[in-house]
Each structure stands twice: as C-alpha cells, then as structure tokens.
Amino acid sequence: MSATAPAGSSQRRPAYRRLSVEQRRAQLLDAAVVLFAHHSPEQVSLDGVAAAAGVSRPLVYRYFPGGKQQVYEAVLRTAADNLVARFAEPAEGSPLRRLASGLRRYLAFVDEYASGYAALMRGGCVAATSRTTATVDEVRQAAVEEILRHLEVDEAPPPRLQLAVRSWIACVEVAALTWLADERQPPAEELSTYLVDQFFGTLAVSAAGDEECADVARRMLEKESADGPLPDVLRRMLPLIEEAAPLLG
Amino acid sequence: MSATAPAGSSQRRPAYRRLSVEQRRAQLLDAAVVLFAHHSPEQVSLDGVAAAAGVSRPLVYRYFPGGKQQVYEAVLRTAADNLVARFAEPAEGSPLRRLASGLRRYLAFVDEYASGYAALMRGGCVAATSRTTATVDEVRQAAVEEILRHLEVDEAPPPRLQLAVRSWIACVEVAALTWLADERQPPAEELSTYLVDQFFGTLAVSAAGDEECADVARRMLEKESADGPLPDVLRRMLPLIEEAAPLLG
C-alpha cells in the first residue's frame, strides 16, 4: 500500500509524492480541522475532506474507517490539544493580568474555530457523543487546573472555589458564544476585561461565604499590583457599593 | 378503537377503563415523565414506558409513532413547561429575595428530575437534537425574561445586562449539576444563597463597566431592604474589598 510506504521510498516517483502513514494522517487532519473550524459538522462531508486534502474519498476511509464521525472526533482532539496548550501562562506578576492574557488566547481560538466552536458548545450538535462531551470536559478541567495553579491551590481545592472557577468558565463560554453571534462585538480586548472583572466578582462573592475561598482571594490580592487590572475594576465598582451602604444601617 | 372512546362510555365495563385520546396520552406521558426524570434517556426503553403505564408497547407506538425519541421530546416539553411555570414570582419586595424564591423552586425541580436534568444538561446525551437544544434554550430565555421583568427592563435590555443574566444562568446550571453530583450538598437553601450572592456580584461587576447596567443595578438597589439578602452579602464582601483598597493608592 502506497500510503504505508515511508516517505523516503518515493524518491524515484516525484509526481506522486508518497507520505508516511503519519504524514498522510496529519495532512488529512489538517484539511479536516480547517473545514470543521469554518463549518458546523452537519455541513462537512467526507467528500469535502477528501477534496480539501486533494485525495480520494477511499483514501480518507482508509485512515478513518469510522467515516465522518471519526474524522470529527480526531479534529476535536487536535483542537482541544491546541486550546489547552494556549492555557499555559507563566506564574509571574498580577494573577488577574495572567488571566487576561490567557483569555485573549482563548478568544483568539474561538475566533479561529468559530463555526466548530459554536456548533459544539451550543449543544444539540449531531456529532456530539459522550466522547466529544468528555473531550470538552477535559478542556474545562485543564482550564480549572491552570487557574488553580495560579491561585496557588495545587491540591485539594476547596469545593466552593472549584464551583466558582467552573461557573466562571461557563460564563466565559456563554460570553464567547454571544460574542460570535454578535459579530465579535465588543472587541476581544473589552470582552476579556469584562470577564476578568467577572472572575474577581465571582471570587469575591465566594470569599464572602467561604473561609477557604477568602484565604485564596487574600493570597491573590497580595500578588495584585497598582498597575494590574484590579484597581480599575474596584474603582468602577465602588460607587454602586457605596450606594448600597445605607442598607447596612 | 377503544383508546378513542370517551371515558364516560366505559361505565358498563369497569374492568377495562376507557380513556379518551387526551387522557390516554396524558397517562402515558405521566408515566414517561417519571421514568425520564429518574433515569438517563439511554436507560429508558419503550417497553419500560409501556410497563410503567400498564399498557402494551403497540399502544405506546400508536400515540408516539416516533418511538422513544418522540416520547422523550414530549417529556422534555412537559418538564420544560413545568419548570417555566415555576419561574413566575410576584413583583413585590426585595428583588434579590424574589430571585432566591425562584431559585428554590428551580432547585426543587432539579431535585425532582435529577437524572433527566443531569443527562440533558451535561451534554452528549444520545437523545439530544437541535429540537431538544431549542427547548432548553427556550427555558433559559424564559428565565432571562422573568429576571429582566423583575429588574424592570421590559424592552430593549442592554446587551451587557443580557450577557450578565445569561452568564448567571449558566452559573446556576453548573452549580445545579455539581450539587447533584455532590449528593445535594450544600443544602439547597445554602446553594440558593450563594447563587443570589453571585447574581449581585455579576450585576455589580457589569454595572462597573456599563452605564446602562449601572442604572438597572441602582434601580434594583432602591427596592432592596435592610432585611433582604443584600446587606448580608455586602457585609461579608466588605473585608475583602477593604483589603484590596490599598491598591487604589
């Protein structure tokens, strides 16, 4: 089978460039990633994948005997790995600024994989299975762990803190879907500021009701700086809080 | 067909109670609602529905020719209507207390429909289609509208406020799923307090970045009272905010 011949063996037949199994699989996957990024799974066909990769439909089947669903799941795996790789952020400087930086990369991913992201995250996607849900959950879990790492909660995170971080991630997903539906308005930078503010709000509210969350929030505050995002959101929140102060009697 | 005979016509044959089409359909649906509430769609069979309703499998097919998927969608419709009906709350007193009261009814629903709710909302449910997703979105939209009604934003809600309310609903869903997974801990009352606090936090953060949200938040504050939920969460949040104050320079 030509598809299994090592790349080097094709040197005498340059017109039919032979790829190794791995190279061919990567080529098919690259083409499929682009298709699934720009279309919902319903709109993608195996013929489309074959055409985009410049190969025959049977060749696609040889690599993905499970057909479109198998291609989709491999694409999702690739996209998930790509997204998780973007979470990595050095543990330096203001934690909220680090979060903003990760968020910008998340929104760049959402921008790039727009249709695929929307189809998958909106739910009811025909290609969704317990396996695709598990992949999405794995990405969320990676985000939770990266955030907890920056909050210096490496083991046994308080349940209320986990809930707060997970809720905030759900909030990011809702915001990302709304952003795509609203033709990427407001600008990514503004949306990311809003979401960082929301993170602080969620953490502050969790700290109000849970001593362990309060410890984590205080540790985070110690690492915030006057030129980080926190003073700005605090300044903007204070008028409302002052307005509520009379209720405290 | 016996199933179409009016209920009254069976008076001389008490052993075979004849139900009208509507009554029979309601009876099948009642049995199916209970099954789908306590099991994931994968675990429910048409035979199970027939057995629970005390009828034959062909009779279930006569009412639901689309089989299990059609039964599931009818059950989801019934459950969605049931949930939406629970959102209705008189527009009186502290808005946050009204929210707490709606949340308690939401969590009672989640408690009652636990397995079905978890299977559907976790995603990757085999019975999920664009129709079931549309039903879930319809329920979310009803929740958004009820909340906006209490915030006295009846028309043209500011986009940032809509985003805040939608994000908060996502946060409620994450919390409800976590609550089910954690064997209903913390108690519903405590979780509902936490979520009301989060609502205030989300609104306050949105108000910090958006003048229209600030107007809505101020209007809400005017309706809050010293014995409502707000003073308590404010009191608990203040220490952290005071700790952050030095950053303001």
Side-chain angles (χ1 to χ4, degrees):
Chain A
M1 294 204 313
S2 67
T4 61
S9 73
S10 65
Q11 59 205 19
R12 275 180 290 179
R13 290 168 63 195
Y16 299 92
R17 178 158 149 64
R18 291 190 179 182
L19 303 178
S20 71
V21 170
E22 275 316 300
Q23 286 171 323
R24 179 66 80 191
R25 193 175 186 281
Q27 179 213 9
L28 295 179
L29 209 48
D30 284 350
V33 165
V34 174
L35 282 179
F36 280 105
H38 294 100
H39 304 276
S40 70
E42 289 86 336
Q43 297 167 322
V44 177
S45 67
L46 265 200
D47 284 328
V49 173
V55 303
S56 67
R57 184 184 160 99
L59 186 67
V60 180
Y61 262 117
R62 200 184 304 158
Y63 281 79
F64 298 97
K68 184 169 126 177
Q69 184 67 26
Q70 194 185 356
V71 176
Y72 179 69
E73 292 183 14
V75 163
L76 185 61
R77 178 76 267 153
T78 306
D81 292 344
N82 175 325
L83 180 53
V84 167
R86 298 185 195 208
F87 293 161
E89 174 75 24
E92 288 159 16
S94 145
L96 289 179
R97 184 175 285 157
R98 298 177 215 164
L99 191 65
S101 151
L103 265 174
R104 278 191 295 268
R105 293 192 298 271
Y106 186 91
L107 291 175
F109 174 93
V110 171
D111 182 39
E112 200 173 316
Y113 288 78
S115 302
Y117 180 89
L120 182 66
M121 305 301 282
R122 255 200 327 259
C125 165
V126 289
T129 64
S130 55
R131 280 190 303 278
T132 63
T133 306
T135 305
V136 172
D137 279 340
E138 207 183 285
V139 171
R140 289 179 182 140
Q141 184 57 30
V144 169
E145 283 168 16
E146 179 69 8
I147 291 171
L148 292 176
R149 193 172 74 80
H150 289 277
L151 294 175
E152 300 178 4
V153 183
D154 289 330
E155 355 191 296
R160 200 54 69 88
L161 182 66
Q162 288 197 62
L163 178 57
V165 175
R166 278 176 201 287
S167 304
W168 179 77
I169 289 169
C171 170
V172 171
E173 291 170 358
V174 167
L177 286 173
T178 307
W179 183 66
L180 287 178
D182 290 350
E183 300 179 344
R184 276 103 161 152
Q185 283 303 316
E189 191 60 35
E190 190 181 328
L191 186 61
S192 132
T193 300
Y194 170 77
L195 290 168
V196 169
D197 291 358
Q198 288 293 354
F199 183 83
F200 172 70
T202 298
L203 189 61
V205 166
S206 302
D210 183 271
E211 204 38 60
E212 290 180 301
C213 286
D215 286 343
V216 172
R218 273 193 294 265
R219 269 212 307 280
M220 189 193 83
L221 282 184
E222 282 169 19
K223 297 209 158 17
E224 288 301 328
S225 53
D227 63 348
L230 187 60
D232 187 41
V233 59
L234 274 178
R235 224 169 260 128
R236 288 184 280 112
M237 278 176 80
L238 283 182
L240 190 74
I241 289 176
E242 277 161 21
E243 205 144 341
L247 284 173
L248 296 176
Chain B
M1 294 205 314
S2 67
T4 60
S9 73
S10 66
Q11 58 205 17
R12 272 180 293 179
R13 291 168 61 195
Y16 298 94
R17 179 159 146 65
R18 291 192 177 180
L19 302 177
S20 72
V21 169
E22 275 316 299
Q23 285 172 323
R24 178 66 80 191
R25 195 176 185 279
Q27 179 213 10
L28 295 178
L29 208 49
D30 283 350
V33 164
V34 174
L35 281 179
F36 280 105
H38 293 100
H39 305 276
S40 69
E42 289 86 337
Q43 297 168 321
V44 176
S45 68
L46 266 200
D47 284 328
V49 173
V55 304
S56 68
R57 184 184 161 99
L59 185 68
V60 180
Y61 262 116
R62 200 184 303 158
Y63 282 79
F64 298 98
K68 184 169 128 177
Q69 184 67 27
Q70 193 185 356
V71 176
Y72 180 68
E73 293 183 14
V75 162
L76 186 59
R77 178 77 267 154
T78 306
D81 292 344
N82 174 326
L83 181 52
V84 168
R86 298 185 195 208
F87 293 161
E89 174 75 24
E92 289 159 15
S94 145
L96 289 179
R97 184 173 287 158
R98 298 177 216 164
L99 190 66
S101 150
L103 265 174
R104 276 191 296 268
R105 291 192 299 270
Y106 186 90
L107 291 174
F109 174 92
V110 171
D111 181 39
E112 201 173 315
Y113 288 78
S115 301
Y117 180 89
L120 181 66
M121 305 302 281
R122 255 199 329 258
C125 164
V126 290
T129 64
S130 54
R131 280 189 303 277
T132 62
T133 308
T135 305
V136 172
D137 279 340
E138 206 183 286
V139 171
R140 288 180 182 138
Q141 184 56 30
V144 169
E145 283 167 17
E146 179 70 8
I147 291 171
L148 292 177
R149 192 170 75 79
H150 288 279
L151 293 175
E152 298 178 5
V153 184
D154 288 330
E155 352 190 297
R160 199 55 69 88
L161 182 66
Q162 288 197 62
L163 178 58
V165 175
R166 277 175 202 289
S167 304
W168 179 77
I169 289 169
C171 171
V172 171
E173 291 169 358
V174 167
L177 286 173
T178 307
W179 183 65
L180 286 179
D182 290 351
E183 301 177 343
R184 276 100 161 156
Q185 284 303 316
E189 191 59 34
E190 190 181 328
L191 186 60
S192 134
T193 300
Y194 171 77
L195 290 168
V196 169
D197 291 358
Q198 287 293 355
F199 183 84
F200 172 70
T202 298
L203 189 61
V205 166
S206 301
D210 183 271
E211 205 37 60
E212 290 181 301
C213 286
D215 285 344
V216 172
R218 272 192 296 264
R219 269 212 307 281
M220 188 192 83
L221 282 184
E222 284 168 17
K223 297 208 160 16
E224 288 301 328
S225 52
D227 62 348
L230 187 60
D232 187 43
V233 59
L234 274 177
R235 222 169 262 128
R236 288 184 281 113
M237 279 176 81
L238 283 181
L240 190 74
I241 289 176
E242 276 162 19
E243 205 146 340
L247 286 173
L248 296 176

